[in-house]
């Protein structure tokens, strides 16, 4: 069995299953529900604050100062809103087909999306780089580690931009303010905050959920008189250090607090614990922390993989991670491990038929054992028993994004680090001096918000503009009861518009770039056909959109819908049943592999079922 670094694969967990003993499933369910109920809130996503007004400074770009430039007034073939992975892979797909000029509009000062903003200490991908980084074969890049760090990911985004000529027409440090379909000229008109007013035959939108910071709705958040920032706008001028891991020497005499204990906090807390005079970690819900076992990638081994290796690895990972069978596990990580456990449990159960109910039984049994190991790992690593108990996650592993780290739990053994557990209640309030929990004031010099990005909010709120389609119809109106599309890409009433996200397609959350790659191929193929045929107006029929949405509803395959799950962004902060959110979270009923097979066949067939192509 091979791994992302060669044949010396390691198991993801360092606590053997045999160490945890038998599991009382009923008692565990009761504990999960008890912990869930502590954290349920009626306000759901509304509990978070938008960075507006006095909080708008949390949106400032600390990396570049936008240079003055004259407004752009021209026409391009394909415009894409967003310069993250979605824009890069779609731009590359269009460029590879030689269709015409491609322009990416990005509010950051460079390409990268999430990885432009995320430069906090310790930032790295939590899905193996061999399947996470897109277009490795095309650009010739060899990842240095199984889980590469943020500077390398940002550099790869820039490499894609250079390789495919995407910088030439790009508008950086620029935000779209208007997107309107011109029914007379049959093209899109795009305006920006820099005075740009130009047109494009086709438009793609990749304004996904991981770029707009969210802040906790804690009373008094505006009143803190010390220094504060969001992790996506890390202030190295204050902390010292840099994204490559240099010491945070500016914190040597500082009392530091951090709110949030999700994937971002898991990566930066070890650095804060090492360099701060005092670090207080304010926790509402602990993350699930498994071993990462990161290691370098051997370039000699990498050179033996042969042409087409990345597509094979993507398919292998997706197959195994979603419960399928393969001769070997190429990636061998925490994502595929749980699926291997479920598969093995199914084999042990030997059901008469592989029904959804049999799968759920196997999943629950495998997950129970896995989470017992996760909690045992906390006890084995954290010295203080009370701290260890508070760090134990009481929910299923996939209720929240699983975390993998070899230094996070160890950070709580550092003399400077102290966990302030709120028992699910969260921080009470913020004052000029610091943070109040259970009527106790913790005075701070620095307050870091590791509270993530907006996920469950509307597409329009995240993008910062509305989209106007045929007959003046707003996308927000079309989606007022939830997202509607064909394949998660095409939207009825919005010709020549393409949406790039996991939603209503494969909905593969463990490796989002795989969704984007397939969407990019679909868009490139579609636009190439329209261009070659001279029928350049592409639209999806109302019937095709309706049929797709009804199929998704009937299949009801969604992530984060387990009723025992603690609140988080996977389940719309404990409100997974809300109709608009439910539609957005739906995926192809037979799963990601089946969707990727379906959309590949749809592209190859060349009949573009559900779409119409007309001449302007």
């Amino acid at each position: 069995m091979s791994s992302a670094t060669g044949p010396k694969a390691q198991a993801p967990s360092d606590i053997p299953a045999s160490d945890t003993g038998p599991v009382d499933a009923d008692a565990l369910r009761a504990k999960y529900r008890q912990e869930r109920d502590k954290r349920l809130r009626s306000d759901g996503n509304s509990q978070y604050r938008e960075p507006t007004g006095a909080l708008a400074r949390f949106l400032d770009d600390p990396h570049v100062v936008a240079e003055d430039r004259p407004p752009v007034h021209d026409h391009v073939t394909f415009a894409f809103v967003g310069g993250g992975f979605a824009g890069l892979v779609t731009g590359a797909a269009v460029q590879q087909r030689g269709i015409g000029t491609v322009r990416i509009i990005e509010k950051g000062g460079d390409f990268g999306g999430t990885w432009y903003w995320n430069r906090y200490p310790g930032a790295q991908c939590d899905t193996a780089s061999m399947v996470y980084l897109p277009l490795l074969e095309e650009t010739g890049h060899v990842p240095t580690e199984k889980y590469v760090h943020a500077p390398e990911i940002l550099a790869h985004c820039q490499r894609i931009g250079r390789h495919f000529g995407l910088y030439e027409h790009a508008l950086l440090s620029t935000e779209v303010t208007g997107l309107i379909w011109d029914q007379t000229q049959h093209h899109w008109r795009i305006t920006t905050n820099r005075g740009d007013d130009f047109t494009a035959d086709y438009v793609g939108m990749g304004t996904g959920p991981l770029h707009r910071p969210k802040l906790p709705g804690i009373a008094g958040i505006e009143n803190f008189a010390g220094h504060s920032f969001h992790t996506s706008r890390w202030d190295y001028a204050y902390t010292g250090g840099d994204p490559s891991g240099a010491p945070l020497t500016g914190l040597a005499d500082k009392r530091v607090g951090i709110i949030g204990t999700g994937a971002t906090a898991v990566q930066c807390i070890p650095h804060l614990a090492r360099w701060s005079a005092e670090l207080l970690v304010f926790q509402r819900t602990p993350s699930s922390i498994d071993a990462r076992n990161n290691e370098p990638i051997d370039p000699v081994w990498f050179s033996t993989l042969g042409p087409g290796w990345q597509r094979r690895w993507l398919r292998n990972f997706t197959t195994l991670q979603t419960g399928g069978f393969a001769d070997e596990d190429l990636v061998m990580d925490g994502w595929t491990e749980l699926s291997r456990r479920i598969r093995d449990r199914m084999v042990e159960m030997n059901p008469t038929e592989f029904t959804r109910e049999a799968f759920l039984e196997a999943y629950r049994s495998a997950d129970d054992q896995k989470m017992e190991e996760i909690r045992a790992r906390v006890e084995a690593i954290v010295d203080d028993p009370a701290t260890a108990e508070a760090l134990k996650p009481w929910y299923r592993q996939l209720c929240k994004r699983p975390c993998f780290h070899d230094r996070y739990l160890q950070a709580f053994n550092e003399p400077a680090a102290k966990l302030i557990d709120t028992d699910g209640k969260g921080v009470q309030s913020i004052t000029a001096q610091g943070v109040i929990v259970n009527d106790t004031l913790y005075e701070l010099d620095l307050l870091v918000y590791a509270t993530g990005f907006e996920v469950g909010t509307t597409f329009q709120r995240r993008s910062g503009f509305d989209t106007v389609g045929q007959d003046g119809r707003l996308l927000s109106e079309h989606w007022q009861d939830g997202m509607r599309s064909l394949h998660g890409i095409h939207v009825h009433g919005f010709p020549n518009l393409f949406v790039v996200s996991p939603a209503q397609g494969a909905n593969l959350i463990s490796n989002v770039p795989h969704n984007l790659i397939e969407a990019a191929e679909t868009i490139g193929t579609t636009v190439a056909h329209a261009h070659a045929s001279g029928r350049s107006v592409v639209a999806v029929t109302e019937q095709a959109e309706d049929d797709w949405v009804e199929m998704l509803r009937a299949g009801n395959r969604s992530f984060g819908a387990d009723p025992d799950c603690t609140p988080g962004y996977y389940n719309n902060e404990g409100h997974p049943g809300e109709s608009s959110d439910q539609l957005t979270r739906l995926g192809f009923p037979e799963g990601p592999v089946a969707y990727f097979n379906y959309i590949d066949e749809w592209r190859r067939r060349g009949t573009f079922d559900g779409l119409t192509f007309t001449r302007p």
Side-chain angles (χ1 to χ4, degrees), residues 347-546:
V347 172
E348 291 173 9
M349 289 166 49
N350 192 26
T352 53
E353 55 181 324
F354 284 76
T355 62
R356 180 179 177 84
E357 289 71 24
F359 173 82
L360 288 175
E361 181 182 348
Y363 161 64
R364 289 168 182 151
S365 175
D367 184 79
D368 288 349
Q369 187 67 60
K370 180 61 186 178
M371 291 306 293
E372 286 291 283
E373 294 174 28
I374 293 290
R375 291 185 284 269
R377 184 171 185 261
V378 178
E379 279 192 16
I381 292 174
V382 179
D383 293 339
D384 178 64
T387 301
E389 192 61 33
L391 285 168
K392 291 179 180 178
W394 294 100
Y395 48 81
R396 296 195 183 281
Q397 190 180 31
L398 297 182
C399 284
K400 299 173 76 70
R401 187 165 186 90
C403 296
F404 307 92
H405 211 277
D406 297 329
R407 291 177 55 199
Y408 175 72
L409 295 173
Q410 292 84 341
F412 292 94
N413 297 331
E414 294 276 355
K418 183 179 180 181
L419 181 70
I420 309 298
D421 183 59
T422 67
D423 194 29
K425 300 181 183 67
V427 168
Q428 184 177 338
S429 61
I430 297 174
T431 72
Q433 293 77 33
V435 169
I436 295 178
V437 175
N438 295 328
D439 297 325
T440 299
L441 172 64
Y442 297 91
E443 294 188 359
L444 302 170
D445 299 303
L446 170 64
L447 182 53
V448 178
Y449 294 102
T451 44
F453 298 95
E454 292 193 9
V455 175
T457 54
T458 65
F459 192 94
Q460 287 68 40
R461 172 169 154 171
R462 295 199 305 272
S463 65
F465 63 91
D466 211 336
T467 304
V468 184
Q470 286 179 326
D471 302 319
R473 184 166 179 77
L474 299 176
L475 187 59
S476 59
E477 294 175 348
H478 191 62
W479 285 358
Q480 64 182 348
D481 295 322
M483 181 179 180
R484 301 186 63 82
S485 74
L486 171 66
H487 303 156
I489 298 172
H490 315 278
V491 183
H492 175 65
F494 296 82
N496 290 11
L497 178 73
F498 306 96
V499 179
V500 182
S501 80
Q504 297 196 349
N507 212 6
L508 178 65
I509 304 305
S510 57
N511 190 29
V512 170
H514 194 174
N515 304 267
L516 312 182
I517 291 166
E518 293 292 338
E521 283 297 303
T522 303
I523 294 166
T525 302
T526 303
V527 173
H529 175 77
H531 185 76
S533 66
R535 294 174 293 155
S536 59
V537 180
V538 183
V540 58
T541 68
E542 184 175 16
Q543 187 65 53
E545 183 181 84
D546 289 345

Side-chain angles (χ1 to χ4, degrees), residues 181-242:
W181 175 249
D182 187 325
Q183 293 186 203
T184 303
Q185 300 298 319
H186 300 95
H187 59 211
W188 287 95
R189 180 183 175 189
I190 304 163
T191 55
T192 78
N193 66 336
R194 305 288 296 275
D196 306 307
D197 189 342
F198 63 95
T199 56
D201 293 326
Y202 307 94
V203 169
M205 295 199 301
T207 50
L210 300 181
H211 71 96
R212 183 177 172 83
K214 67 181 180 185
L215 297 167
I218 300 172
I221 189 172
E222 303 96 338
N223 299 332
F224 182 60
H227 198 70
S228 61
F229 53 78
H230 189 276
T231 48
S232 67
R233 305 295 193 274
W234 195 275
D235 187 356
Y236 283 106
Y238 181 91
T239 66
D242 58 39

Side-chain angles (χ1 to χ4, degrees), residues 104-168:
I104 292 177
I105 309 102
E106 165 57 41
K107 69 178 181 179
D110 203 340
F111 295 142
T114 301
W115 297 106
Y116 175 81
W117 300 111
N118 275 348
R119 305 192 197 191
Y120 56 84
Q124 63 185 140
C125 58
D126 61 3
T127 303
S129 58
M130 300 277 284
V131 293
Y132 182 76
L133 296 179
L135 304 174
L136 286 174
E137 278 193 272
E138 291 81 353
T139 59
H141 180 59
V142 180
T144 60
E145 304 173 278
K146 184 170 184 176
Y147 301 96
V148 294
H149 284 74
E152 185 171 343
I153 304 175
L154 176 58
H156 185 59
C157 293
Q158 296 164 338
R159 180 181 299 108
I160 293 171
R162 292 191 303 270
H163 185 87
F164 292 99
L166 299 175
Y167 278 106
E168 183 178 353

Side-chain angles (χ1 to χ4, degrees), residues 48-66:
Y48 297 106
R49 292 282 300 274
E50 285 193 79
T52 57
L55 303 177
R57 64 181 181 82
F58 287 98
L59 293 176
D60 292 345
D61 188 339
H63 309 302
V64 301
V65 176

